[in-house]
Amino acid sequence: MTMMQLSEKQTTMAAKGSEGGRRAVSLWLWLVAALVFAMVVVGGATRLTESGLSITEWQPLLGAIPPLNEADWMAAFEKYKLIPQYHALNQGMSLEDFKFIYYWEWSHRLLGRAIGIVFALPFLYFWWTGKLKRGTGMKFLGILALGALQGFIGWYMVSSGLSERIEVSQYRLALHLTAAFMILGLLVWAALEEWPGEARVTGEVATTLIKRLAVIIVAAVLFQVVLGAFVAGLRAGYIYNTWPSMNGQFVPSDYWMKPAYLSFFESHAATQFNHRMMAYLVAILAFVQIWLTSRTPVDDRIRITAQWLGAAIVAQIALGVFTLLTHVRLDLGLLHQGGGAIVFMLAVVHLHAVYRAGVVPRDFYASRGRASA
Ligand code: HEM
């Protein structure tokens, strides 16, 4: 075997090795994304079961150990009895009922710690063994820092409900949910970027209009999620439980409050109306994208991901309507929360297809030259 053949063999092996390594990195990122999705749903269940304020302190490490004996449970229960929510919602509740809400909040926090470990340890391993592409190490460090910040935001949100209020601030809930969705979006994008699939180079790239619309759709869905958090944070899903009108009105008569700008953040009627209207706008944008990608010669992945996204948005709107009509029945509220995360992930998957599918990779011909030599 000549030197030339040896180095080519090594290059192919390295490429294969890196391909194997990249697949492992991508699968790890998909695992973490799946755990963050589960975290969004468990977070929704914690909120919908009014469990979020049951643990009135934050111990990032020791908090992983739940009360282990009667005395510990009574101590945790006594601390909960000191906050306004206990007196307003749960006066006289039994220790067993307290354990039920405690375990929801505890498992939400424990899952948060587990996600931190499932991200950090493989990250260190991949970085140490040189399996990361140039520049991704810093990107993953950024995601890790966002994850840690999310822990703080979670406590910042809980602490807003421990003194004057009987529920957490809708502003801080929106911040917590938005941060969760951004972490999820970054993980999905990174997992797609790492996937070493053979580039099916069709050259059928997206037009500028399709690219711009794909970005607008991701931003619009994220904005809709923020509006949803204000509906959830204000418990605004327990009023105007009619559809398509709001108790016979298109715009609810109590939309505006004084000063007017506060309506968008503190008016139950306004936040629900805005969430409804934004849902319809998101659907229109998605169907325009389906129409554009169906009549433009673009790569199949662009067209198919647009259709998946459109279908998911229709399902999410239906879930939202039934959540409202049922006065936020627990299972529907949870499905709607999870559905919101799936719509956002599909919007990111579509954006990635729009920017990557069909594109001729920079070293395409160089690698082709090498392979055919
Ligand atoms: C693109 C469509 C939609 C998306 C992406 C979306 C997303 C969301 C998200 C993420 C939440 C949860 C926020 C949280 O738990 O903090 C939420 C809450 C809510 N959404 Fe939607 N939504 C959509 C459409 C709708 C529609 C069309 C309706 C009703 C007509 C609706 C009704 C509700 C209600 C009532 C809540 C509060 C539920 C609760 O208290 O848990 N949504 N939405």
Side-chain angles (χ1 to χ4, degrees), residues 52-69:
L53 298 177
S54 57
I55 306 180
T56 57
E57 56 199 3
W58 188 37
Q59 297 171 305
L61 299 176
L62 287 179
I65 307 164
L68 299 174
N69 55 46

Side-chain angles (χ1 to χ4, degrees), residues 62-355:
L62 287 179
I65 307 164
L68 299 174
N69 55 46
E70 190 73 9
D72 289 355
W73 273 115
M74 288 317 292
F77 195 9
E78 288 311 315
K79 285 180 189 151
Y80 177 64
K81 287 181 180 174
L82 298 174
I83 71 166
Q85 184 190 69
Y86 170 76
H87 300 284
L89 295 185
N90 294 321
Q91 184 89 38
M93 84 189 300
S94 68
L95 180 60
E96 282 318 303
D97 290 345
F98 173 67
K99 286 182 180 176
F100 172 83
I101 61 173
Y102 187 101
Y103 275 126
W104 267 118
E105 177 61 14
W106 177 75
S107 24
H108 183 61
R109 296 187 192 189
L110 191 72
L111 185 52
R113 293 181 183 97
I115 294 173
I117 294 167
V118 172
F119 188 87
L121 296 185
F123 168 46
L124 289 174
Y125 164 76
F126 288 131
W127 203 349
W128 188 255
T129 55
K131 287 200 173 57
L132 296 181
K133 275 192 310 190
R134 192 187 302 282
T136 52
M138 291 318 286
K139 286 187 196 143
F140 294 167
L141 208 55
I143 296 177
L144 187 63
L146 254 182
L149 178 67
Q150 178 65 329
F152 283 99
I153 295 173
W155 174 245
Y156 175 60
M157 177 185 74
V158 168
S159 60
S160 69
L162 297 180
S163 44
E164 287 94 44
R165 311 170 59 116
I166 62 167
E167 77 277 311
V168 300
S169 144
Q170 69 275 22
Y171 295 93
R172 299 187 190 184
L173 173 66
L175 179 65
H176 192 49
L177 191 72
T178 310
F181 274 65
M182 288 174 80
I183 293 170
L184 191 57
L186 290 170
L187 286 166
V188 168
W189 182 273
L192 291 164
E193 285 286 84
E194 285 301 319
W195 189 256
E198 179 56 34
R200 239 173 347 98
V201 181
T202 62
E204 295 170 328
V205 296
T207 61
T208 309
L209 178 58
I210 289 173
K211 283 182 178 169
R212 291 208 178 117
L213 190 49
V215 173
I216 291 170
I217 290 173
V218 169
V221 171
L222 192 60
F223 184 57
Q224 172 65 341
V225 167
V226 175
L227 293 179
F230 277 92
V231 176
L234 285 171
R235 297 347 184 222
Y238 298 92
I239 58 163
Y240 289 111
N241 301 100
T242 59
W243 191 82
S245 77
M246 293 179 74
N247 292 358
Q249 302 164 302
F250 179 64
V251 181
S253 50
D254 54 348
Y255 182 102
W256 295 107
M257 37 188 321
K258 288 201 169 34
Y261 77 91
L262 275 185
S263 312
F264 302 105
F265 310 106
E266 305 197 2
S267 154
H268 292 64
T271 51
Q272 191 196 114
F273 177 82
N274 297 343
H275 189 59
R276 291 183 185 215
M277 294 307 117
M278 192 66 198
Y280 309 145
L281 177 62
V282 166
I284 292 167
L285 293 173
F287 282 96
V288 169
Q289 187 75 320
I290 291 173
W291 179 72
L292 284 173
T293 54
S294 66
R295 56 196 302 282
T296 319
V298 292
D299 188 284
D300 285 350
R301 277 161 295 167
I302 298 173
R303 190 173 305 112
I304 292 165
T305 52
Q307 291 160 359
W308 288 350
L309 177 57
I313 288 170
V314 171
Q316 176 67 357
I317 289 176
L319 274 173
V321 170
F322 286 110
T323 301
L324 199 59
L325 295 179
T326 60
H327 298 247
V328 193
R329 207 174 71 195
L330 179 66
D331 53 348
L332 288 172
L334 269 185
L335 283 174
H336 190 61
Q337 173 120 344
I342 290 169
V343 167
F344 184 65
M345 286 195 279
L346 283 173
V348 173
V349 168
H350 175 62
L351 181 68
H352 188 268
V354 162
Y355 275 83

